[in-house]
Amino acid sequence: VPAVPWRDPYTVSPQDLAAYIGTLERRCEEQPGSPELRTCLGMAHAVNYDVGRSMEALEAAVEIDPTYFWSRLKYGELLYRLRALDRAEEETLKAVDLAANALELAMARKQLREIRAINPVRVRLDAPASARGRAFFLSALMAIAVAVVMWT
């Protein structure tokens, strides 16, 4: 992977960014099975505000290696920025599961918190079935208790 030519993406010139994207595209052609290169290309396209190409590159990275943490995290981030929040949450949850160290886990959890903070409240289907079952059982038990109190 070529060295990142900038620390702050807002200070890179359009010419440098175009050159960097060109280098990444050539490397992706040379190494089509590299999720790392596809992820970097997707990020570079995102910095260049080219959403379509960014999406293509990140989807390709996820397809090449579904277990690569960074492609999942960055794909989730792009979906989050596009406000496809349910899909962003799904991809970020996958990244949480793929995190291999504390830093990766912290980054994925932070992104997940940000997504959930702006996502409308909804029934989370990612809750374990046992938790949903316990909630149903407790609700039924409470209804029975109310019926018994009203009966007596």
Side-chain angles (χ1 to χ4, degrees), residues 1-24:
V1 176
V4 178
W6 65 87
R7 295 275 182 208
D8 180 4
Y10 300 104
T11 60
V12 65
S13 72
Q15 297 80 14
D16 289 345
L17 183 56
Y20 188 65
I21 289 172
T23 301
L24 283 168

Side-chain angles (χ1 to χ4, degrees), residues 1-82:
V1 176
V4 178
W6 65 87
R7 295 275 182 208
D8 180 4
Y10 300 104
T11 60
V12 65
S13 72
Q15 297 80 14
D16 289 345
L17 183 56
Y20 188 65
I21 289 172
T23 301
L24 283 168
E25 287 174 341
R26 284 189 299 281
R27 297 275 175 91
C28 285
E29 289 173 8
E30 295 167 3
Q31 301 175 42
S34 172
E36 296 90 351
L37 286 171
R38 297 282 176 183
T39 301
C40 289
L41 180 60
M43 292 167 58
H45 280 306
V47 169
N48 199 33
Y49 302 107
D50 191 343
V51 175
R53 288 185 176 181
S54 179
M55 185 75 72
E56 284 176 18
L58 291 170
E59 285 174 346
V62 167
E63 189 174 312
I64 290 167
D65 184 358
T67 64
Y68 183 56
F69 169 80
W70 292 105
S71 61
R72 289 285 182 188
L73 184 71
K74 290 301 176 177
Y75 185 43
E77 181 183 350
L78 179 64
L79 292 167
Y80 162 53
R81 293 186 186 284
L82 294 172

Side-chain angles (χ1 to χ4, degrees), residues 74-150:
K74 290 301 176 177
Y75 185 43
E77 181 183 350
L78 179 64
L79 292 167
Y80 162 53
R81 293 186 186 284
L82 294 172
R83 295 305 189 249
L85 299 175
D86 291 339
R87 287 280 296 127
E89 185 173 342
E90 287 174 25
E91 291 300 324
T92 304
L93 279 168
K94 291 175 186 175
V96 167
D97 291 339
L98 293 171
N101 57 51
L103 175 65
E104 290 178 355
L105 185 59
M107 291 176 71
R109 283 181 174 169
K110 180 179 186 287
Q111 182 170 302
L112 190 59
R113 274 193 310 273
E114 291 173 0
I115 292 166
R116 287 179 171 171
I118 62 171
N119 204 6
V121 176
R122 62 183 179 84
V123 174
R124 300 232 182 259
L125 298 177
D126 58 331
S130 61
R132 291 193 302 264
R134 281 192 302 262
F136 178 75
F137 174 74
L138 291 175
S139 297
L141 189 60
M142 184 65 91
I144 292 170
V146 167
V148 167
V149 167
M150 291 179 69

